[in-house]
Amino acid sequence: MSTATTASTAVPRSAEATPTDLAAPRPDLPPIPFTRLLGVEARKTFDTRSGFWLLAGIGIAATLATAAVIVFAPDSAQVYGSFAQAVGFPMALLLPVVAVLAVTSEWSQRSGLTTFTLVPHRGRVLLAKGVVAVAVGVVSMVLAMGIGALGNLLGAAINGVDPVWDSSVQQLAMIVLANVLGLLVGFTLGVLLRSSPAAITAYVVYWFLLPTMFGLLAAYQSWFADVQGWIDFQYSSTLLYEGDLGATEWAHLGVSGLLWLVLPLTVGVLLVRRSEVK
């Protein structure tokens, strides 16, 4: 009886796994294309409530700034340059926060384990986040400038004068570049710190505290006034709003950008690639 049971439950040799079967190579799957990563990161930017309202706040801030120029600015200041500068200030504050959240969401929402399991090459993920953040910044600035143009037409119609377009395409491009550089500072802080509160706090310090300290130092120390352009990245990038930079100013922007953007971002990428994701 036991012999019959054993024989009936025995596994045929043809069905047994052989060492050759176990060592069979797995099929090579194509890597996830970079365009798909861009689409995923773009959806992440808009899917969360914080991201949605932050982007909506950019449009609301541009509209309020345009309305403020129409209501409070004198007739002589009702020109497009006033509207462009008015919408540029809230952009400089909000766009870096968008870049910070684009990076730190992987750690604050604990989705990094899933992301980096599906895409082990973390550098590709960071590159996709950076491209999406810059694209959102450029599109937001173009839309804000469009709102400013409508405000210029509306203000001229209310005052009964012809609209004045005193800003060239080059000057507008300089304003966009200045805001993109500020956005990249926020992105760099997000990569370096990987914490939303810490990165946003660091950017507030960079935007408000450091210029005051550097300005006081330059006012009382002549040696620092001579080298401020080489060290103070915000001071160098602010000159872009004036739209006319010479060779020296571009050199200041490049060297200070190397200190405040390239080197910290390189360190941050190395830390992200080696950090443990939980």
Side-chain angles (χ1 to χ4, degrees):
M1 184 69 179
S2 60
T3 305
T5 303
T6 304
S8 62
T9 58
V11 179
R13 294 185 59 85
S14 59
E16 294 180 355
T18 63
T20 305
D21 296 332
L22 296 176
R26 295 182 178 179
D28 293 332
L29 298 177
I32 297 177
F34 189 70
T35 54
R36 189 181 303 171
L37 292 180
L38 292 177
V40 171
E41 295 302 329
R43 287 196 299 271
K44 288 181 180 179
T45 304
F46 296 95
D47 281 349
T48 61
R49 285 180 295 180
S50 60
F52 172 79
W53 283 109
L54 185 59
L55 294 175
I58 291 176
I60 296 172
T63 303
L64 293 178
T66 300
V69 174
I70 295 175
V71 175
F72 299 108
D75 294 344
S76 59
Q78 297 286 337
V79 296
Y80 183 66
S82 300
F83 291 96
Q85 292 180 355
V87 300
F89 181 74
M91 298 299 105
L93 293 177
L94 295 178
L95 289 178
V97 179
V98 174
V100 167
L101 296 180
V103 181
T104 57
S105 61
E106 300 292 355
W107 282 266
S108 61
Q109 300 176 11
R110 299 184 182 275
S111 60
L113 184 60
T114 302
T115 299
F116 296 131
T117 299
L118 296 175
V119 187
H121 198 301
R122 301 182 184 182
R124 297 183 67 217
V125 176
L126 291 179
L127 179 59
K129 291 179 181 294
V131 172
V132 169
V134 171
V136 169
V138 173
V139 172
S140 299
M141 284 299 303
V142 172
L143 292 177
M145 288 181 177
I147 295 174
L150 294 177
N152 189 29
L153 294 173
L154 181 60
I158 293 175
N159 296 319
V161 298
D162 295 330
V164 178
W165 307 96
D166 59 339
S167 298
S168 63
V169 176
Q170 180 181 358
Q171 290 174 328
L172 296 179
M174 291 292 187
I175 294 176
V176 173
L177 177 59
N179 282 275
V180 169
L181 291 177
L183 181 148
L184 290 177
V185 172
F187 182 81
T188 299
L189 293 174
V191 174
L192 191 62
L193 301 176
R194 301 185 300 282
S195 169
S196 300
I200 293 175
T201 302
Y203 185 78
V204 171
V205 172
Y206 165 81
W207 181 257
F208 291 103
L209 182 59
L210 285 183
T212 303
M213 295 176 57
F214 286 152
L216 291 175
L217 190 59
Y220 293 104
Q221 300 292 331
S222 59
W223 65 269
F224 185 80
D226 296 333
V227 300
Q228 183 178 8
W230 303 98
I231 299 175
D232 190 351
F233 182 59
Q234 187 175 352
Y235 172 81
S236 301
S237 60
T238 302
L239 297 178
L240 291 170
Y241 289 99
E242 300 178 4
D244 187 17
L245 274 69
T248 302
E249 288 76 16
W250 283 111
H252 289 169
L253 185 64
V255 174
S256 59
L258 179 66
L259 296 176
W260 287 91
L261 278 181
V262 179
L263 293 180
L265 183 59
T266 302
V267 174
V269 171
L270 293 176
L271 293 176
V272 168
R273 296 181 63 180
R274 297 182 180 181
S275 62
E276 181 182 0
V277 181
K278 299 180 180 180

